[in-house]
Amino acid sequence: MKKIYSIVPLLLAYCFVFGQTITIQNQEDLHPLEGVILTTTNSLTTATTNARGQVDVSALAGADTIVVQRLGYGTKAVAYTQLTSQPQFYLTATNITLDGVVIGASRWEETRSEVPNKVVSLNQRFIELQQPQTTADLLAQSGEVFIQKSQYGGGSPIIRGFATNRLLLTIDGVRMNTAIFRSGNVQNILSLDAFATERVDVIFGPGSVIYGSDAIAGVMSFYTLTPKLSTTADPLVFGSATTRYSSAANEMTGHFDVGVGWKKFSMVTSFTYSNFGDLRMGTKGPDEYLRNEYVVRMDSIDRVLTNDDPLVQRNSRYSQINLLQKLRFKPNEKWDFGYTFQYSTTSSYNRYDRLLRYRRGLPRSAEWYYGPQEWMMNLLSITNTMTKGPYDQMTIRLAHQRFGESRIDRDFNDSERRTRVEEVIALSANIDFVKRLAFKHKLYYGLEGVFNDVTSTGTDQDIVTGDIINGPARYPQSTWSSYAVYASYQYKPITKLAISAGVRYSHYVLDAKFDTTFYPFPYTTANLSNGAVSGNVGVVYNPTPKWAISANFSTGFRAPNVDDLGKVFDSEPGAVIVPNPDLSTEFAYNFEVGATKVFGDFLEVDVTGFYTILQNAMVRRDFTLNGLDSIFYDGELSKVLAIQNAASATVYGIQAGFSLTLPKGIGLSSRVNWQYGEEELDNGEVAPLRHAAPLFGVSHITYTARKLHLDLYAMYSTEVSFEDMAPEEQGKMEIYAVDENGNPYSPAWYTLNFKASYQLTDFLAITAGVENLTDVRYRPYSSGIVSPGRNFILALRAHF
């Protein structure tokens, strides 16, 4: 027995030294924190917490100092003895740190203080509190991205004066931009599920070195739920469920995700269904926004009916389904295999701004709606880690995507219903490498191949007889491909200084076949084959760990796509866009400087200034078809326009903000964005740039206790006067208020909002709130739908 007693202390000591496991939790709600990184000061030894917040720190024994950090939480530097003195270790949520990790800038994890671009990261904690209805709303609530909505089922981001096909959207490292992304507003971000989103990185400024075409003003990188592996012999079961109601559109949303992980294999499934009714606007605002009447078809006649409640935007409703399935297999520490399946579809939904147009005192359209927006992705990813060789880590992404969209319209009291259907099959392959050449040198490099196959059809139906005939397609039958190689180098001559530079060469090919059955195009085919070089050089200087100064010069490009070259579409009443096979690449040149200062552990202030020049810009301009400046389109004589390399544009602005932590759990923060843009006209004069949003931002007052989080915040935007509008916006009387001179303009607006979240149990939390407390009636600049009035939100969520 004495021998046994003498062995027990030795066993305990052995476990302490060779198997010391601690649990790291959120100080606020005691939830375990996954993905906390623990490193020694020389960064040679690391450890990461698992899904239960557990980590074995025995490998860190003997280190003088251990740095504990996680995105969205304050970083702590502690001694090994302090770290292991208790079984639990706590981190406090904060936005005041320069040590956060970003992924989207290079496709690899980087410390925020080493990236010269302005980057904004949104995590799950932010998403759960704000309860955004869509991913577009999620970006808007950040106060960093302006969102335009042509209809309720939409959301088109605007960043630094550019939008749509001059911004890049990625999901799990795969580009979602297709060959039919247009210069008008696009709604593809709606296909992504906010509930299945783990984090978002928004990279401001050109990102073409890493991402290629379209990344002119920014990159929005979304990352979905990660399958978690078990660190024990027992399976790890994890997941969450949420149900939500909001009053402005009688929204009902249900979501669940569940995963199971073993030591080498794991899976996660996510499903979300949302149903939105007709949206109700606020009571206080411009009368021009009221929905006084709407069209119904009765007894084979289109009739205009008076809206019983003009605050209700009739026929704005829609529904949506999102499905995610991920599998992961990690046979050893060197290899990690993943498969992702994603599917999203909506109901049909009206393009609301088109329903507001009038002609000769009557609605121009009896119907104008999008068919279901469908998106499917299959993604195979392979990651390999090496200790010696040409790379430290390699990731291969092979993706197949299918995009389906359609447009259906019919003029008022016209029996012909026009349907245009588009399908894009997108294949892509990315191979990305990272190699640390020495302690001061790091190299990122890779290859990319993208192929898009565009199929477009048109039919015309007589709704009285039911007869269907072929009609003109929106696009030619086309293929678009891009092939690229890139390299980016980072050098840290001293700890305080990081210098980076990169270059990319892309070659793109576009082949299109035109159908001359309906329009007498003077050509039947078009072929483009060209190359583009982009680059960047940046520097980040950290005089102290709490002070960062950055400067970055970068170029971006956009290669002509099928929408630019081959579209036939009525862009506005009395105008039609026709194909132009003589297009070339447009280039952007951007310079920005930024500074971030952290005062103590309670205040962070940052400011970024940028100046962007867009040359050889592809813009709509007057055109001729077979020598004619006007043609009949859908029965109406219309002026001929085409996308042409006919302009240059400049945009400059400032992005600034602060985050302040006060005693007793009180916090203050604010983000503000101002930009001004001009575009060259045909006559050499300049005019305001269409997508240069007005000054906008968000300001928060928060309170955080042990299980309670309160957030009172304001969102706001300044006026856009008639004189400050782009010429193409000045003609859209149907979506704007009217000034004292009878001209359209976009009034300033602000909303007051309140959200509260309370952790009922370790597994159950409730979120409630009121958006637009003062019931303001407002429509964000260039939007077709009026934003929600006072909106009560209630959500219940469970985590396990």
Side-chain angles (χ1 to χ4, degrees):
M1 184 64 70
K2 290 181 179 180
K3 291 182 178 180
I4 294 176
Y5 287 151
S6 63
I7 291 173
V8 169
L10 293 176
L11 291 174
L12 292 175
Y14 178 88
C15 292
F16 182 81
V17 175
F18 297 100
Q20 182 67 40
T21 298
I22 64 170
T23 301
I24 301 180
Q25 298 175 324
N26 185 336
Q27 180 74 46
E28 297 175 10
D29 54 22
L30 305 183
H31 276 177
L33 295 178
E34 182 187 11
V36 178
I37 301 173
L38 298 86
T39 60
T40 57
T41 51
N42 60 10
S43 299
L44 296 179
T45 306
T46 65
T48 305
T49 57
N50 61 19
R52 293 190 173 98
Q54 298 171 339
V55 59
D56 184 348
V57 296
S58 57
L60 307 176
D64 294 332
T65 304
I66 298 171
V67 179
V68 185
Q69 61 182 345
R70 187 183 189 272
L71 178 66
Y73 291 81
T75 299
K76 290 186 177 181
V78 297
Y80 182 82
T81 53
Q82 180 184 352
L83 184 68
T84 57
S85 60
Q86 298 291 335
Q88 284 84 29
F89 187 82
Y90 302 100
L91 291 180
T92 303
T94 182
N95 294 321
I96 302 174
T97 177
L98 296 180
D99 298 324
V101 174
V102 298
I103 301 175
S106 67
R107 297 186 191 268
W108 301 99
E109 288 189 356
E110 295 181 275
T111 304
R112 177 186 165 199
S113 59
E114 296 178 346
V115 178
N117 303 73
K118 176 179 171 60
V119 180
V120 172
S121 297
L122 308 176
N123 57 25
Q124 275 187 306
R125 186 166 57 89
F126 178 85
I127 298 171
E128 290 176 354
L129 175 64
Q130 296 301 326
Q131 287 293 312
Q133 292 183 340
T134 67
T135 45
D137 295 329
L138 169 62
L139 293 180
Q141 289 169 347
S142 73
E144 303 277 8
V145 179
F146 191 89
I147 297 295
Q148 180 276 351
K149 290 189 177 183
S150 296
Q151 63 278 331
Y152 195 27
S156 184
I158 298 175
I159 294 177
R160 291 188 174 181
F162 296 105
T164 61
N165 54 19
R166 293 186 177 116
L167 301 176
L168 189 73
L169 179 63
T170 74
I171 178 70
D172 290 333
V174 177
R175 67 180 286 136
M176 285 187 68
N177 289 40
T178 71
I180 62 171
F181 263 45
R182 56 192 181 275
S183 58
N185 300 300
V186 296
Q187 322 297 330
N188 294 69
I189 196 171
L190 190 73
S191 296
L192 304 181
D193 185 4
F195 284 104
T197 299
E198 205 164 65
R199 64 175 286 145
V200 184
D201 284 346
V202 182
I203 301 95
F204 293 84
S208 289
V209 168
I210 303 298
Y211 293 100
S213 180
D214 302 2
I216 279 182
V219 179
M220 297 162 287
S221 297
F222 287 77
Y223 300 92
T224 56
L225 300 173
T226 301
K228 303 170 183 177
L229 297 171
S230 176
T231 56
T232 68
D234 298 325
L236 171 67
V237 180
F238 55 93
S240 69
T242 301
T243 181
R244 181 181 65 210
Y245 170 79
S246 64
S247 63
N250 288 317
E251 176 218 0
M252 294 295 296
T253 291
H255 163 83
F256 75 86
D257 60 83
V258 61
V260 182
W262 293 267
K263 282 193 171 183
K264 296 184 178 181
F265 179 78
S266 64
M267 64 178 71
V268 63
T269 301
S270 172
F271 177 83
T272 303
Y273 173 76
S274 295
N275 185 74
F276 302 93
D278 289 337
L279 182 62
R280 185 181 183 85
M281 67 182 76
T283 59
K284 304 169 186 176
D287 290 342
E288 293 87 354
Y289 293 171
L290 294 173
R291 183 70 159 133
N292 293 311
E293 54 190 25
Y294 61 100
V295 176
V296 297
R297 189 165 181 83
M298 302 171 59
D299 302 324
S300 300
I301 298 176
D302 293 327
R303 302 180 187 272
V304 179
L305 298 186
T306 299
N307 191 355
D308 293 337
D309 187 350
L311 299 179
V312 175
Q313 299 175 82
R314 295 278 186 176
N315 303 321
S316 58
R317 62 183 60 215
Y318 79 102
S319 60
Q320 181 167 352
I321 293 174
N322 286 87
L323 175 65
L324 167 72
Q325 178 66 60
K326 294 182 102 172
L327 306 176
R328 182 183 181 190
F329 176 56
K330 190 175 182 180
N332 51 52
E333 291 302 316
K334 292 185 177 181
W335 291 95
D336 199 340
F337 299 86
Y339 169 74
T340 300
F341 172 80
Q342 292 198 69
Y343 177 75
S344 174
T345 186
T346 68
S347 63
S348 297
Y349 53 91
N350 286 303
R351 177 165 173 180
Y352 217 72
D353 58 339
R354 291 302 177 101
L355 298 182
L356 303 178
R357 300 186 304 174
Y358 278 70
R359 179 170 53 187
R360 294 186 290 274
L362 291 172
R364 177 184 174 91
S365 298
E367 304 174 7
W368 213 120
Y369 61 93
Y370 292 106
Q373 178 174 294
E374 292 187 336
W375 170 64
M376 180 185 70
M377 182 177 77
N378 293 278
L379 168 63
L380 175 65
S381 60
I382 304 171
T383 299
N384 176 236
T385 302
M386 299 181 64
T387 54
K388 294 181 180 180
Y391 58 84
D392 296 330
Q393 200 168 51
M394 171 195 69
T395 295
I396 300 174
R397 296 180 181 89
L398 305 175
H400 163 271
Q401 298 179 82
R402 178 192 173 276
F403 299 83
E405 59 184 55
S406 57
R407 295 162 177 81
I408 301 94
D409 76 291
R410 184 175 62 83
D411 291 344
F412 187 76
N413 273 329
D414 190 332
S415 64
E416 183 182 71
R417 176 185 290 142
R418 296 172 289 271
T419 300
R420 307 295 180 254
V421 180
E422 284 76 52
E423 180 186 68
V424 179
I425 301 298
L427 306 177
S428 62
N430 294 83
I431 308 177
D432 299 294
F433 306 89
V434 59
K435 176 67 176 179
R436 184 178 290 277
L437 303 175
F439 183 72
K440 297 180 179 181
H441 306 265
K442 188 183 291 186
L443 179 65
Y444 305 94
Y445 61 102
L447 303 168
E448 180 184 68
V450 178
F451 176 81
N452 283 195
D453 185 10
V454 178
T455 302
S456 183
T457 60
T459 58
D460 297 332
Q461 179 186 20
D462 189 316
I463 63 172
V464 175
T465 65
D467 294 338
I468 299 176
I469 60 174
N470 291 330
R474 178 179 171 91
Y475 298 114
Q477 308 310 302
S478 312
T479 60
W480 184 93
S481 56
S482 172
Y483 310 95
V485 57
Y486 78 90
S488 182
Y489 170 71
Q490 184 186 87
Y491 173 52
K492 295 190 71 173
I494 57 176
T495 305
K496 297 180 178 181
L497 183 65
I499 302 171
S500 59
V503 64
R504 176 189 183 104
Y505 175 75
S506 300
H507 190 87
Y508 62 88
V509 178
L510 192 161
D511 294 304
K513 295 181 180 180
F514 294 91
D515 183 356
T516 58
T517 303
F518 301 96
Y519 301 111
F521 300 129
Y523 37 75
T524 57
T525 63
N527 307 99
L528 296 180
S529 180
N530 213 331
V533 177
S534 54
N536 69 273
V537 57
V539 59
V540 182
Y541 178 60
N542 296 274
T544 72
K546 295 187 176 183
W547 178 234
I549 303 171
S550 62
N552 189 47
F553 174 76
S554 53
T555 67
F557 76 95
R558 188 171 76 83
N561 64 19
V562 175
D563 185 89
D564 299 315
L565 179 143
K567 176 172 63 177
V568 179
F569 180 65
D570 60 325
S571 61
E572 57 192 55
V576 60
I577 294 177
V578 300
N580 176 17
D582 299 318
L583 288 176
S584 58
T585 305
E586 62 181 20
F587 290 91
Y589 304 89
N590 176 77
F591 179 72
E592 64 183 87
V593 293
T596 303
K597 173 65 175 176
V598 174
F599 299 87
D601 58 357
F602 63 91
L603 175 63
E604 178 181 329
V605 179
D606 71 274
V607 61
T608 300
F610 66 91
Y611 189 93
T612 304
I613 300 173
L614 182 67
Q615 292 188 341
N616 209 34
M618 289 180 273
V619 294
R620 298 174 186 173
R621 289 291 186 265
D622 291 347
F623 199 62
T624 60
L625 183 63
N626 294 325
L628 301 175
D629 60 6
S630 297
I631 63 172
F632 278 93
Y633 179 78
D634 287 341
E636 181 177 356
L637 185 64
S638 301
K639 181 173 65 174
V640 175
L641 304 175
I643 303 295
Q644 303 172 59
N645 297 105
S648 61
T650 58
V651 185
Y652 52 90
I654 296 175
Q655 298 170 278
F658 75 90
S659 182
L660 174 65
T661 299
L662 299 173
K664 307 295 185 180
I666 298 174
L668 301 175
S669 65
S670 188
R671 306 296 317 168
V672 65
N673 301 264
W674 173 82
Q675 51 272 307
Y676 180 76
E678 291 182 332
E679 179 183 54
E680 179 187 6
L681 301 179
D682 281 343
N683 59 9
E685 297 179 355
V686 295
L689 190 63
R690 176 189 177 191
H691 286 127
L695 183 146
F696 69 96
V698 62
S699 299
H700 293 263
I701 302 175
T702 60
Y703 171 76
T704 302
R706 189 73 171 195
K707 296 183 178 181
L708 178 66
H709 189 94
L710 307 178
D711 187 359
L712 176 65
Y713 63 99
M715 300 182 69
Y716 40 85
S717 173
T718 58
E719 174 185 309
V720 180
S721 67
F722 176 76
E723 293 74 19
D724 290 334
M725 279 186 175
E728 55 194 302
E729 292 296 307
Q730 291 178 342
K732 298 178 180 178
M733 293 290 298
E734 67 273 9
I735 66 173
Y736 289 112
V738 177
D739 64 18
E740 62 275 10
N741 297 316
N743 294 319
Y745 82 109
S746 180
W749 57 265
Y750 73 91
T751 63
L752 295 177
N753 315 272
F754 177 75
K755 301 281 177 65
S757 178
Y758 185 74
Q759 194 72 34
L760 298 172
T761 70
D762 289 344
F763 306 103
L764 190 63
I766 186 171
T767 298
V770 185
E771 295 176 338
N772 195 358
L773 279 160
T774 57
D775 208 24
V776 175
R777 185 187 309 143
Y778 70 102
R779 178 184 270 146
Y781 167 71
S782 194
S783 293
I785 192 86
V786 181
S787 293
R790 187 180 294 118
N791 187 29
F792 295 92
I793 299 172
L794 181 64
L796 191 67
R797 67 181 187 275
H799 290 264
F800 58 91

